């Protein structure tokens, strides 16, 4: 298999669909018995016709509210789950059918679950993985040294995994996922529950892996700061369907982008109106402008118009919190004129 | 340093590496300060009690159920060591199927270039190998002390073969229980109950020869007595030569039967993971 | 409905004592009801508790019937030791068993919560949950006791019955004393759980047999270092009159209930002293 050129699709999901069939127990005294004979079947479509691709060397964030189908999508991309319909290609392989070969191409970190052995010192866990991946000893020592330098593992890798703090453990899991130098890494909420210092360390590490090492990273997260600081591209799923595949700005444009520009006018004349903007508030020389009713200009446009129109001595810009934007997105509250 | 986009060429660079993975459970025991010493102490106390108890029982009797004093004591000692050391300590690693199902970490077994089946097998080899080390040490310590009897040299190779078969049955039986976890019919209590049922029916609490006839008949129909009673009875010379071939054949039968059953169960289990999710 | 709390000062000591017991029984009923809500799990736990006693059941029903006895004790008499151990152990678990769980309670922060309530902390520890295992132990104890009592080869005079009850009480108190003392360390050191497990295991391993079958040194250790002999062997020797090989003078054995009570009171005092220096879990 030839290595992918940067930008060329390396992970492709085509019309991915996953339907779960569950049997539920009937309630009541005879529920258990009647369930054995005639179980209640229910089917749940967790993922419905999702298609997107990730290019080599890209860092993509997979977003969506709980139950949106993110985890199910990741599990199908990693080959753990078999899609009901559609296909997945990872580095040229079908991850489900070629599980063991695919395993050499991918690394995975699942934030709340460790793949390390609790009773062993972390370093020994990594050694076991070295043997599972059949990594040459010399190459292993080199990689370990490099990962130690980036993640500062030697400070605690002699401790048993069950005694590690969350931050230490996830750093070990990151090392474990990258030990065999996979071109593609999947991360499912890797920084959940961490303090801000460790979170930034992890993000710095991921950035390094993508920009210096050319790895492809697909990451799910609920942390909007993470998305803002890391992701070049964002894929938003909700109710099992693809909603947005683009940049953060695309999302802002569709779901939020509400902002306010509060200016202090040097010359508070009677007429402060600016084309296309709405006056939200006025308090003496301080005027707050918001988006107009039609043809919402972007924040940059609005600033330009205000400055062209008035002389100002002070400006405060309030942009919709990314979390607010995402909340709108999760609640399907699109802005009216941006429906594609 | 290779770039991340270089693909592996699939050539096996370290063909025996997978076998080394079997060290995973005993390694935790050995590296934990004092745990080996604690286990040695526990085994020593259990062996001590067995010896004292059985010698006291045999005061005034020369033979019971076809076993003389030395045979009964030896049986009890070997049985005690096997029971104390054979059951998997992988729960300390969070590595049992039950724990992995409960915590969702089972998916990692399907993300590695080593099939879940092979990992489980290699790990089992490591655990049972570790248990045999304890058995060997106990025998080597107890023999010169005159605590247990020496085996008939002609029977020694037969004993070793039977022991290996017994370990294989033991491994397969535990695999059945573990595979049932994929259908979530297991929980911690069920596991404990199975531990005691296995120990009882294999002769781990008392030599099966002492039990009433109906119990022995039932146990002959079950695979458990092949894990302990057969090899230990061969060691102490309780099994008449005419019955040895039959007993070994029965052991082989169980190994093969359970192995086939487990192969089928593994496939169903893997399919269940990929259809229903980890 | 008014609740009568301890400490309002106007009731008599007898009223306070009665009120405390009524409260304890009410809490126990609630705990039991909580466990009973999950029927299947409850039954499974009882069953598990039962199977934990497989080794002693095998010993009693399979081995003792075949052999004439041990250490000069006849088989029915050895069976009496085992059944006395089971009964006093089951009662221990029922009344004092939570003391074995002290490390868990400390880690959960429950001790801090208990310190803020107007009840003795030791009592709250005992009331913190219902040990369903005790039910399994009681069932086995009942079975063994029926077997032992019916097969006993000495007549059951009122005196002998009194000695039996006294012996049970003594054994119960000694076990409670030992585990309470260990749990006093458990209030401070998490590693104590290994010691209490080890002690429980030793008690279960050696507690069912006449200890005169052991070499003198071992018997002395199990009498004076870890008083396993006092759990059932020595009390049973009161009932059977089997005195040969005992490491303890007859007078002490005759006063086992008092010995037990003394040990228990001492262990409680020690526990309270340890509680006063309680520091809680680190942040």
């Amino acid at each position: 298999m030839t290595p992918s050129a940067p930008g060329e699709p390396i992970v492709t999901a085509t019309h991915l669909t996953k339907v779960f069939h569950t049997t539920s127990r009937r309630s009541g005294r005879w529920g258990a018995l009647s369930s054995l004979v005639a179980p209640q079947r229910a089917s749940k479509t967790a993922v419905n016709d999702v298609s997107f691709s990730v290019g080599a060397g890209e860092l993509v964030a997979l977003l969506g509210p709980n139950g949106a189908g993110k985890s199910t999508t990741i599990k199908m991309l990693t080959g753990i789950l078999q899609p009901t319909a559609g296909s997945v290609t990872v580095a040229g392989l079908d991850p489900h059918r070629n599980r063991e070969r695919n395993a050499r191409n991918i690394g995975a970190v699942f934030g709340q679950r460790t793949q390390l052995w609790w009773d062993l010192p972390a370093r020994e866990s990594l050694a076991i993985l070295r043997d599972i991946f059949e990594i040459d000893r010399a190459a292993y020592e080199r990689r370990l040294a490099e990962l130690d330098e980036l993640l500062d593992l030697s400070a605690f890798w002699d401790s048993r995994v069950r005694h590690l703090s969350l931050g230490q453990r996830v750093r070990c899991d990151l090392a474990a996922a990258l030990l065999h130098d996979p071109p593609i890494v999947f991360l499912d909420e890797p920084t959940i529950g961490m303090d801000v210092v460790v979170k930034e360390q992890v993000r710095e590490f991921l950035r390094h892996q993508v920009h210096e090492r050319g790895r492809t990273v697909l990451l799910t997260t609920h942390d909007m700061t993470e998305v803002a600081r890391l992701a070049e591209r964002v894929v938003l799923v909700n109710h099992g369907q693809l909603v947005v595949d683009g940049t953060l700005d695309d999302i802002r444009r569709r779901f939020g982008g509400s902002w306010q520009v509060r200016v202090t006018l040097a010359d508070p004349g009677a007429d402060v109106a600016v084309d296309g903007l709405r006056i939200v508030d006025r308090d003496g020389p301080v005027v707050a402008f918001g988006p107009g009713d039609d043809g919402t200009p972007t924040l940059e446009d609005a600033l330009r118009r205000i400055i062209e129109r008035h002389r100002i001595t002070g400006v405060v810009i309030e942009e919709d919190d990314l979390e607010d934007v995402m909340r709108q997105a999760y609640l399907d509250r699109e802005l009216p004129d941006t429906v594609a | 340093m290779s770039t991340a986009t270089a693909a592996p060429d699939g050539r096996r660079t370290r063909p025996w590496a997978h076998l080394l993975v079997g060290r995973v459970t005993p390694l935790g025991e050995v590296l934990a300060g004092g745990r080996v010493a604690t286990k040695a102490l526990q085994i020593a106390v259990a062996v001590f009690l067995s010896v004292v108890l059985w010698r006291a029982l045999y005061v005034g009797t020369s033979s019971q159920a076809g076993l003389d004093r030395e045979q009964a004591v030896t049986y009890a000692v070997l049985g005690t060591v096997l029971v104390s050391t054979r059951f998997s300590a992988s729960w300390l690693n969070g590595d049992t199927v039950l724990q992995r199902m409960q915590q969702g970490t089972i998916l990692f077994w399907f993300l590695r270039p080593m099939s879940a089946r092979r990992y489980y097998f290699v790990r089992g080899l490591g655990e049972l190998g570790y248990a045999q080390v304890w058995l060997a040490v106990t025998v080597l310590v107890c023999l010169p002390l005159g605590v247990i009897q020496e085996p008939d040299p002609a029977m020694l190779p037969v004993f070793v073969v039977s022991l290996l078969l017994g370990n294989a049955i033991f491994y397969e039986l535990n695999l059945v229980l573990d595979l049932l976890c994929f259908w979530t019919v297991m929980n911690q209590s069920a596991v404990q109950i199975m531990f005691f049922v296995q120990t009882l029916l294999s002769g781990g609490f008392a030599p099966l020869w002492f039990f009433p006839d109906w119990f022995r008949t039932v146990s002959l129909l079950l695979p458990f007595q092949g894990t302990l009673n057969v090899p230990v009875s061969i060691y102490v010379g309780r099994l008449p030569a005419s019955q040895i071939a039959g007993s070994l054949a029965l052991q082989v039968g169980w190994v093969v039967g359970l192995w086939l059953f487990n192969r089928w169960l593994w496939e169903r289990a893997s399919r269940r993971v990929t259809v229903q999710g980890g | 409905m008014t609740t009568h709390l301890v400490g309002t000062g106007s009731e008599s000591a007898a009223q306070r004592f009665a009120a405390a017991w009524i409260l304890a029984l009410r809490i126990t009923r609630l705990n039991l009801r909580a466990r009973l809500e999950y029927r299947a799990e409850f039954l499974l736990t009882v069953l598990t508790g039962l199977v934990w006693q497989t080794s002693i059941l095998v010993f009693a029903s399979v081995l003792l019937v075949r052999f004439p006895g041990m250490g000069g004790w006849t088989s029915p008499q050895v069976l009496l030791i085992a059944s006395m151990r089971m009964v006093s152990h089951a009662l221990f678990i029922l009344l004092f068993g939570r003391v074995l769980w002290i490390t868990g309670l400390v880690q959960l922060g429950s001790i801090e919560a208990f310190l803020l309530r107007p009840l003795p902390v030791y009592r709250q520890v005992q009331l913190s949950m219902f040990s369903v295992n005790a039910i399994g132990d009681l069932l086995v104890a009942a079975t063994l006791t029926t077997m032992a009592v019916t097969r006993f080869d000495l007549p059951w005079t009122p005196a002998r019955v009194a000695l039996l009850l006294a012996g049970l009480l003594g054994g119960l108190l000694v076990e409670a004393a030992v585990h309470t003392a260990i749990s006093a360390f458990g209030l401070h050191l998490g590693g104590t759980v290994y010691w209490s497990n080890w002690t429980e295991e030793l008690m279960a391993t050696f507690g069912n047999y006449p200890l005169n079958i052991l070499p003198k040194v071992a018997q002395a250790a199990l009498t004076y270092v870890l008083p396993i002999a006092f759990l059932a062997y020595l009390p049973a020797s009161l009932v059977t009159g089997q005195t040969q090989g005992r490491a303890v003078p007859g007078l002490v054995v005759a006063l086992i209930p008092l010995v037990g009570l003394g040990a228990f009171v001492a262990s409680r005092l020690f526990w309270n002293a340890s509680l006063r220096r309680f520091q809680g879990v680190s942040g």
Side-chain angles (χ1 to χ4, degrees):
Chain A
M1 209 227 94
T2 53
S4 301
E8 224 177 86
I10 195 172
V11 175
T12 318
T14 316
H15 300 300
L16 265 191
T17 306
K18 182 66 184 171
V19 181
F20 288 113
H21 297 285
T22 54
T23 54
S24 55
R25 248 179 67 156
R26 295 176 198 276
S27 54
R29 197 178 303 158
W30 300 108
L33 210 54
S34 62
S35 299
L36 276 176
V37 178
Q40 270 177 326
R41 286 190 198 280
S43 71
K44 174 173 158 30
T45 308
V47 176
N48 190 354
D49 194 19
V50 168
S51 304
F52 65 94
S53 69
V54 181
E58 266 198 292
L59 196 158
V60 175
L62 184 60
L63 304 177
N66 294 330
K70 297 194 306 290
S71 292
T72 311
T73 306
I74 290 260
K75 284 183 185 172
M76 285 192 282
L77 292 176
T78 52
I80 297 169
L81 274 185
Q82 187 178 23
T84 313
S87 66
V88 181
T89 312
V90 174
L93 296 171
D94 176 341
H96 180 73
R97 239 172 260 139
N98 299 293
R99 207 182 354 251
E100 283 172 39
R101 274 178 67 197
N102 179 62
R104 295 183 193 275
N105 289 336
I106 67 171
V109 177
F110 288 82
Q112 310 208 306
R113 316 169 210 188
T114 179
Q115 71 158 309
L116 308 167
W117 288 268
W118 299 349
D119 203 32
L120 296 178
R123 197 179 191 178
E124 297 293 333
S125 268
L126 295 176
I128 302 263
L129 285 168
R130 171 201 71 203
D131 290 334
I132 288 180
F133 282 95
E134 297 168 300
I135 303 172
D136 176 69
R137 278 180 200 254
Y140 170 75
E141 293 300 329
R142 278 199 317 269
R143 269 182 214 139
L144 201 58
E146 185 192 336
L147 289 164
D148 176 21
E149 211 185 294
L150 292 167
L151 294 165
D152 195 21
L153 302 172
S154 48
F156 51 81
W157 65 15
D158 284 321
S159 304
R160 282 188 161 59
V161 169
R162 75 159 72 88
H163 294 145
L164 296 178
S165 71
L166 180 59
Q168 292 169 332
R169 208 211 69 214
V170 175
R171 276 184 279 168
C172 288
D173 269 305
L174 280 169
L178 291 175
L179 216 52
H180 54 291
D181 204 20
I184 303 152
V185 188
F186 295 95
L187 301 129
D188 188 16
E189 306 227 34
T191 59
I192 196 167
M194 286 183 179
D195 69 57
V196 289
V197 175
V198 186
K199 272 197 207 195
E200 192 50 41
Q201 274 180 327
V202 171
R203 287 178 206 152
E204 190 46 52
F205 177 77
L206 290 175
R207 237 178 262 130
H208 175 94
Q209 293 303 315
V210 171
H211 295 142
E212 310 297 325
R213 293 258 165 268
R215 277 188 229 279
T216 311
V217 171
L218 179 58
L219 140 94
T220 71
T221 181
H222 276 307
D223 186 332
M224 290 310 148
T225 326
E226 199 146 275
V227 179
R229 290 191 191 175
L230 272 185
E232 302 135 8
R233 232 181 89 205
V234 160
V235 171
L236 173 66
V237 295
N238 203 353
H239 307 304
Q241 292 183 304
L242 189 78
V243 178
V244 175
D245 179 356
T247 61
L248 268 184
D249 279 336
D250 292 334
I251 294 196
R252 276 189 193 281
R253 220 166 289 137
R254 270 177 75 172
F255 294 101
S258 191
W259 42 259
Q260 273 190 26
V261 180
R262 199 177 289 267
V263 293
T264 312
L265 299 174
D267 173 26
D271 178 19
V272 292
V274 173
D275 253 345
L277 301 183
R278 194 161 46 95
I279 297 174
V280 175
D281 188 28
R282 180 152 185 194
D283 181 15
V286 180
V287 185
F289 292 98
D293 290 325
D294 57 314
T296 313
T298 64
L299 184 55
E300 296 74 36
D301 273 339
L303 265 177
R304 210 176 12 91
R305 291 185 204 184
I306 295 172
I307 294 173
E308 282 171 1
R309 176 83 174 75
H310 298 288
R311 267 182 53 227
I312 58 177
T313 58
V315 60
V316 173
I317 299 172
E318 287 166 11
E319 197 173 19
D320 231 4
D321 199 40
L322 186 54
E323 278 203 18
D324 291 331
V325 177
M326 292 316 292
R327 196 177 308 122
Q328 298 291 90
Y330 289 177
L331 295 172
D332 308 315
R333 293 204 198 126
E334 287 202 47
L335 298 182
D337 56 304
T338 57
V339 174
Chain B
M1 181 69 215
S2 56
T3 64
T5 53
D9 60 8
R11 188 168 43 96
R12 284 226 174 322
T13 52
R14 291 179 56 208
W16 299 110
H18 281 186
L19 268 182
L20 291 176
V21 174
R23 69 184 186 275
V24 72
T25 314
L27 189 63
E29 293 287 303
V30 167
L31 288 181
R35 216 187 285 169
V36 169
T38 311
K39 191 160 202 90
L41 190 59
Q42 272 181 326
I43 294 179
V45 168
V47 167
F48 172 69
L49 178 72
S50 290
V51 172
V52 160
L53 198 67
W54 282 96
R55 286 190 180 169
L57 279 172
Y58 265 87
V59 165
T61 335
S62 60
S63 174
Q64 279 281 1
L67 288 165
D68 65 30
R69 194 186 83 155
E70 290 317 304
Q71 286 175 311
V73 171
T74 307
Y75 190 120
V77 169
L78 295 180
T80 300
V81 178
L82 280 172
V83 170
S84 318
T85 56
R86 263 206 310 213
F87 284 91
S88 171
S90 52
W91 63 272
L92 287 167
N93 266 326
D95 207 13
T96 60
V97 174
L98 183 61
Q99 284 169 309
R100 285 189 172 273
M101 293 294 294
Q102 286 169 342
Q103 282 149 16
T105 53
I106 191 79
L107 47 70
F108 289 113
W109 281 8
F110 297 90
L111 286 172
R112 293 177 182 156
M114 187 176 183
S115 71
R117 233 172 96 194
R118 178 183 288 196
Y119 170 77
Y120 193 96
F121 174 69
V122 166
R123 190 186 66 182
L125 275 183
E127 287 170 6
L128 285 170
Y130 179 66
Q132 302 321 300
V133 169
W134 279 110
L135 182 67
V137 168
T138 307
V139 169
L140 290 174
V141 167
C142 291
L143 268 179
L145 292 176
V147 167
I148 62 176
Q149 71 180 49
E150 283 179 21
D152 176 2
M155 280 297 146
L156 199 51
V158 183
F159 163 68
V160 171
V161 168
S162 183
L163 184 63
L164 289 173
L165 288 171
N167 284 332
I169 300 176
F170 183 83
Y171 165 81
E172 297 286 346
L173 283 171
N174 284 302
L175 180 53
V176 172
L177 287 179
D178 272 344
L179 287 173
L180 287 179
C181 291
F182 284 95
W183 286 270
T184 63
V185 293
M186 288 314 237
N187 62 20
Q188 204 48 46
S189 297
V191 169
Q192 289 194 319
I193 292 174
M194 279 316 299
F195 164 82
F196 282 99
V197 166
Q198 277 201 55
T199 310
L200 177 68
L201 289 166
S202 65
F205 288 123
L208 284 183
W209 302 103
F210 289 108
F211 284 78
D213 286 329
W214 63 266
F215 190 88
R216 292 223 309 279
T217 316
V218 169
S219 71
L220 269 175
L221 295 171
L222 296 169
F224 307 105
Q225 59 99 25
T227 65
L228 195 155
N229 185 52
V230 172
V232 175
S233 297
I234 292 178
Y235 182 103
V236 303
R238 175 63 177 81
L239 216 48
S242 56
Q243 283 186 28
I244 289 186
S247 301
L248 287 175
L250 196 56
Q251 280 185 303
V252 172
W254 277 113
V255 172
V256 172
L258 286 170
W259 179 74
L260 286 172
F261 179 62
N262 280 330
R263 261 187 66 156
W264 176 75
L265 218 53
W266 256 125
E267 252 173 82
R268 302 290 308 274
S270 297
R271 220 177 305 153
R272 194 173 165 84
V273 169
T274 60
V275 171
Q276 290 288 68
Chain C
M1 183 193 73
T2 47
T3 48
H4 297 278
L5 282 178
V6 182
T8 57
S10 56
E11 310 108 345
S12 70
Q15 273 179 312
R16 285 208 300 274
F17 185 74
W21 268 102
I22 290 172
L23 180 62
L25 284 171
R26 269 225 326 258
I27 296 177
T28 307
R29 225 183 68 213
L30 283 172
N31 283 337
L32 180 57
R33 216 161 352 127
R35 297 300 289 263
L36 275 172
E37 263 187 24
Y38 297 95
R39 287 283 153 76
E41 201 194 302
F42 181 83
L43 288 171
L44 207 53
T45 313
V46 172
L47 189 61
T48 313
L50 267 170
V51 296
W52 267 103
Q53 311 302 333
T54 315
S55 86
I56 187 61
L57 284 170
V58 165
F59 174 71
S61 56
V62 174
L63 296 178
L64 277 183
V65 296
R66 275 187 175 268
F67 289 91
M70 43 182 7
W73 290 57
T74 65
S75 278
Q77 292 169 355
V78 176
L79 189 55
L80 186 70
I81 303 180
S83 65
M84 283 181 75
R85 168 90 237 281
M86 282 309 316
V87 172
S88 64
H89 178 70
L91 288 174
F92 161 73
I93 296 288
L94 204 59
L95 297 172
F96 302 108
R98 265 65 58 210
V99 97
L100 297 167
W101 179 225
I102 200 79
T103 307
L105 287 171
V106 169
Q107 280 173 352
L108 285 172
S110 307
I111 304 289
E112 273 110 331
F114 294 164
L115 284 165
L116 294 172
R117 293 193 201 136
L119 276 182
V121 176
Y122 189 84
R123 199 184 305 174
Q124 291 186 67
V125 167
Q126 300 308 346
L127 293 174
S128 59
M129 58 178 157
F130 187 83
S131 295
V132 180
N133 306 336
I135 299 184
D137 290 340
L138 278 170
L139 287 172
V140 175
T143 314
L144 283 181
T145 310
T146 317
M147 284 170 65
V149 161
T150 50
R151 287 173 205 210
F152 200 56
D153 48 9
L154 296 171
W156 282 111
T157 63
R160 195 162 264 129
V161 174
L163 287 173
L164 176 68
L165 294 173
L168 285 173
L169 184 61
L172 164 65
L173 290 169
V174 169
E175 186 164 3
V178 170
H179 281 301
T180 300
I182 295 177
S183 83
F185 291 100
L187 284 171
H188 302 282
L189 306 163
T192 310
V193 69
Y194 296 111
W195 288 106
S196 72
N197 285 345
W198 181 224
T199 307
E200 257 196 287
E201 216 178 292
L202 282 175
M203 287 180 172
T205 311
F206 290 99
N208 301 305
Y209 310 110
L211 293 182
N212 58 351
I213 63 175
L214 297 175
K216 286 265 181 323
V217 175
Q219 191 184 356
L222 292 181
T223 309
Y224 296 109
V225 177
L226 187 61
I228 292 183
F230 285 89
L231 296 175
Y233 164 55
L234 292 175
S237 73
L238 266 183
V239 179
T240 61
Q242 293 276 16
T243 56
Q244 75 272 48
R246 271 190 334 199
V248 176
L251 185 59
V252 177
V253 181
L255 295 173
I256 272 186
L258 289 177
V259 169
L261 189 61
F264 182 65
V265 170
S267 74
R268 278 299 306 276
L269 291 172
F270 179 56
W271 202 89
N272 288 344
S274 182
L275 182 66
R276 258 173 262 136
R277 289 182 296 126
F278 178 68
Q279 281 177 356
V281 256
S282 55

